[in-house]
């Protein structure tokens, strides 16, 4: 056992900056400043005061940034930016509507499957940005309420994203910090996510039984199935397939996940010669990447002040006493917090605490998986639980305003009635799986 850390001024300073930064990030709806602005301000103040109090420097700040996460997200966003104008995603959506033949639950299941499959490779925000507007168009053509489909897209993309290393930004952060490769991540999370996904689909069928009982009209979608740029679309699909193979072998090749994405992007821009790079790079959400960079700098300062180690020493005895209970408590508490606030800052704060416990010789493997499940599934709890949810809610509000029909808006109250039970169901399911197969989840990630 190492010596107990004592409270000091650098810890106090870094903790205050982190708390104020997080309060600013979580209350962006109140003060009107974008969360990235607060993250940038927090990063700047952390470096200045860190240097003044002798616990942080600009060089340490740059070293604390997890570039693997930043580059991977940037490359994947650019690939999607190249794929969207081809019309391929629209063709998939209209084909699904055609196959469902007016059966609403069939449409919900097929659309949910498409959204989930996409969420395995792309982050859930990108997935709903692609499918959200398409769902609205299809539902208008079928003369049915888009609410079950929009809510289903948000819930199933959040859940599907938990399954892979690249499916959700918190996964990238956890995987990068804990050195979890693509295969290990999918083997541990894939089966659990499949069960949770089926539970959500069943919940949606019960929660929206009245809405989806009405048979939909079956208009002819054939004219809209045309892919505008087949060469680019099929090239992109081929590159994505190659990337999946490389993600599977990236650990054996000694490559980082970002390098696989960058390689895929480079290959795609050469195969699809007519791609306008300026237009594709416009689809990269620079504000989100800047948010990550700033957040890593803030957490790096807190880490260097040893505040997180100080916090970890109070949690450690509980973890050492009952690892299973600690894992389930972490899952539920991170899910509840992620439902109320953004899961990215919460993940950023938890990662160094778990890493600190690992240095004390504790087997933290089940804690990593609990954190992945909690922050991923917890996003389903409220309309603010994930960026994907916020986008879907905004889309439904715009739709309600344009149609002058308040019933088309996904209100916080409606989300609480339909989305929160789905989150609780997935957490109960995940807790049972974690309990039943605890030895599987407790296997060390890097056996010696």
């Amino acid at each position: 056992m190492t010596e107990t850390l004592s409270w000091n001024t650098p810890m106090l300073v870094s903790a205050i900056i982190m708390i104020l930064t997080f309060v600013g990030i979580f209350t962006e709806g109140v003060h009107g400043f974008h969360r990235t602005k607060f993250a940038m301000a927090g990063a700047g103040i952390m470096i200045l005061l860190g240097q003044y109090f002798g616990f942080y420097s600009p060089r340490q700040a740059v070293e604390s940034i997890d570039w693997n996460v930043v580059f991977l997200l940037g490359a994947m966003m650019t690939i999607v930016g190249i794929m969207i104008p081809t019309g391929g995603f629209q063709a998939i959506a209209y084909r699904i509507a055609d196959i469902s033949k007016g059966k609403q639950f069939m449409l919900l299941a097929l659309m949910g499957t498409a959204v989930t499959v996409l969420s395995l490779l792309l982050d859930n925000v990108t997935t709903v940005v692609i499918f959200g507007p398409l769902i609205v168009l299809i539902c208008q053509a079928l003369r049915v309420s888009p609410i079950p489909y929009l809510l289903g897209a948000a819930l199933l993309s959040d859940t599907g994203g938990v399954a892979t290393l690249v499916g959700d930004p918190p996964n990238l952060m956890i995987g990068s910090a804990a050195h979890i490769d693509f295969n290990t991540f999918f083997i541990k999370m894939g089966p659990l996510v499949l069960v949770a996904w089926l539970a959500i689909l069943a919940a949606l069928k019960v929660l929206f039984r009245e809405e989806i009982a009405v048979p939909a009209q079956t208009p002819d979608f054939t004219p809209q199935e045309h892919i505008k740029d087949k060469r680019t679309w099929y090239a992109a699909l081929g590159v994505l397939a190659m990337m999946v193979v490389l993600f599977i072998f990236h650990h054996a090749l000694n490559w980082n996940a970002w390098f696989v994405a960058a390689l895929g992007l480079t290959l795609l821009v050469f195969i699809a010669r007519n791609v306008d790079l300026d237009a594709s790079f416009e689809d990269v959400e620079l504000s989100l990447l800047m948010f990550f960079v700033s957040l890593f700098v803030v957490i790096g300062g807190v880490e260097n002040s040893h505040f997180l180690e100080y916090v970890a020493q109070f949690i450690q005895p509980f973890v050492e006493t009952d690892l299973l209970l600690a894992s389930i408590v972490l899952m539920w508490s991170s899910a509840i917090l992620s439902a109320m606030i953004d899961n990215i800052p919460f993940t950023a704060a938890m990662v160094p605490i778990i890493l600190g416990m690992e240095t004390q010789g504790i087997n933290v493997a089940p804690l990593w998986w609990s954190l992945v499940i909690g922050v991923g599934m917890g996003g389903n709890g409220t309309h603010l639980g994930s960026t994907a949810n916020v986008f879907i809610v905004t889309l439904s509000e715009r739709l309600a305003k344009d149609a002058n029909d308040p019933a088309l808006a996904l209100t916080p109250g409606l989300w609480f009635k339909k989305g929160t039970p789905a989150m609780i169901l997935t957490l109960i399911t995940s807790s049972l799986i974690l309990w039943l197969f605890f030895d599987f989840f407790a296997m060390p990630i890097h056996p010696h």
Side-chain angles (χ1 to χ4, degrees):
M1 182 72 192
T2 55
E3 58 180 286
T4 306
L5 286 171
S6 303
W7 183 249
N8 58 33
T9 306
M11 286 182 193
L12 177 66
V13 170
S14 69
I16 289 170
I17 296 167
M18 178 179 74
I19 291 163
L20 291 177
T21 304
F22 281 15
V23 167
I25 290 166
F26 299 144
T27 55
E28 66 176 339
V30 178
H31 49 65
F33 286 104
H34 194 276
R35 61 183 182 174
T36 305
K37 294 181 181 179
F38 270 94
M40 288 167 69
I45 295 164
M46 186 68 83
I47 295 168
L48 290 170
L49 292 184
Q51 197 161 18
Y52 179 77
F53 286 101
F55 67 87
Y56 207 35
S57 68
R59 182 174 176 168
Q60 286 172 310
V62 172
E63 287 169 356
S64 69
I65 299 165
D66 194 334
W67 294 107
N68 186 34
V69 173
V70 177
F71 290 143
L72 179 57
L73 272 176
M76 295 304 277
M77 285 173 185
T78 312
I79 290 170
V80 173
I82 293 169
M83 292 175 83
I84 290 173
T86 63
F89 291 119
Q90 287 91 323
I92 291 171
Y94 288 125
R95 184 83 187 114
I96 286 168
D98 201 32
I99 293 167
S100 65
K101 302 288 181 222
K103 295 184 183 75
Q104 284 213 60
F105 183 67
M106 169 82 97
L107 179 63
L108 186 63
L110 289 172
M111 200 66 86
T113 304
V115 164
T116 306
V117 169
L118 210 54
S119 291
L120 297 178
L121 270 189
L122 313 175
D123 71 279
N124 49 29
V125 185
T126 307
T127 307
V128 297
V129 166
I130 293 167
F131 266 92
L134 294 175
I135 286 169
V136 171
L137 288 173
I138 288 166
C139 289
Q140 284 172 339
L142 297 172
R143 308 274 173 86
V144 295
S145 168
I147 294 290
Y149 301 94
L150 289 173
L151 185 67
L155 297 180
L156 295 169
S157 70
D158 285 345
T159 306
V162 176
T164 65
L165 180 68
V166 294
D168 204 8
N171 297 7
L172 294 176
M173 297 163 78
I174 294 164
S176 192
H179 305 291
I180 305 170
D181 62 58
F182 189 89
N183 289 12
T184 305
F185 206 103
F186 187 69
I187 290 163
K188 297 285 183 182
M189 291 290 99
L192 181 142
V193 166
L194 177 62
V195 176
W197 185 87
L198 291 168
I200 285 192
L201 206 56
L204 287 169
K205 187 173 185 178
V206 174
L207 292 163
F208 288 108
R209 56 189 175 277
E210 289 172 18
E211 289 89 340
I212 61 175
V214 185
Q217 291 188 14
T218 50
D220 181 21
F221 285 115
T222 316
Q224 289 132 315
E225 282 187 26
H226 179 63
I227 298 173
K228 287 176 277 195
D229 184 352
K230 286 188 177 181
R231 181 191 169 100
T232 305
W233 171 250
Y234 289 117
L237 289 181
V239 166
L240 281 177
M242 180 205 76
M243 282 166 61
V244 170
V245 174
L246 290 177
F247 277 135
I248 290 167
F249 293 107
H250 80 96
H251 197 64
L253 291 165
N254 204 19
W255 289 357
N256 279 334
W258 75 264
F259 182 65
V260 174
L263 206 63
L265 173 61
T266 308
L267 185 63
L268 181 58
V269 296
F270 275 96
I271 297 172
R273 284 198 299 262
N274 56 347
V275 165
D276 181 353
L277 273 179
D278 287 332
S280 301
F281 285 131
E282 280 172 13
D283 287 302
V284 176
E285 292 176 59
L286 288 175
S287 64
L288 180 64
L289 298 184
M290 194 65 211
F291 177 66
F292 269 107
V293 167
S294 304
L295 205 56
F296 285 133
V297 170
V298 171
I299 297 298
V302 181
E303 222 177 321
N304 274 277
S305 75
H306 302 293
F307 171 69
L308 294 175
E309 281 177 55
Y310 178 77
V311 171
Q313 68 191 12
F314 296 105
I315 303 169
Q316 200 170 315
F318 171 52
V319 174
E320 286 175 323
T321 309
D322 192 336
L323 189 55
L324 171 60
L325 183 61
S327 301
I328 290 172
V329 167
L330 174 63
M331 185 201 296
W332 280 83
S333 54
S334 55
I336 291 162
L337 283 164
S338 295
M340 294 188 288
I341 57 182
D342 197 294
N343 56 15
I344 294 169
F346 177 77
T347 307
M350 280 306 301
V351 163
I353 292 176
I354 298 176
L355 283 174
M357 284 191 266
E358 190 174 35
T359 59
Q360 302 297 320
I362 295 171
N363 174 22
V364 294
L367 299 179
W368 288 128
W369 303 124
S370 295
L371 184 61
V372 169
I373 297 162
V375 296
M377 308 286 188
N380 284 335
T382 65
H383 68 299
L384 296 173
S386 77
T387 315
N389 300 4
V390 174
F391 175 82
I392 287 289
V393 168
T394 309
L395 185 71
S396 72
E397 286 170 347
R398 197 184 315 136
L399 184 67
K401 192 178 174 186
D402 291 346
N404 200 20
D405 182 2
L408 295 176
L410 246 175
T411 60
L414 183 62
W415 197 292
F416 183 73
K417 271 172 29 188
K418 310 283 189 184
T420 310
M423 176 197 80
I424 293 167
L425 182 63
T426 56
L427 287 176
I428 292 168
T429 308
S430 301
S431 301
L432 281 170
I433 293 170
L434 192 71
W435 173 60
L436 289 168
F437 302 99
F438 187 67
D439 290 346
F440 173 66
F441 290 103
M443 284 164 66
I445 290 163
H446 306 289
H448 298 293

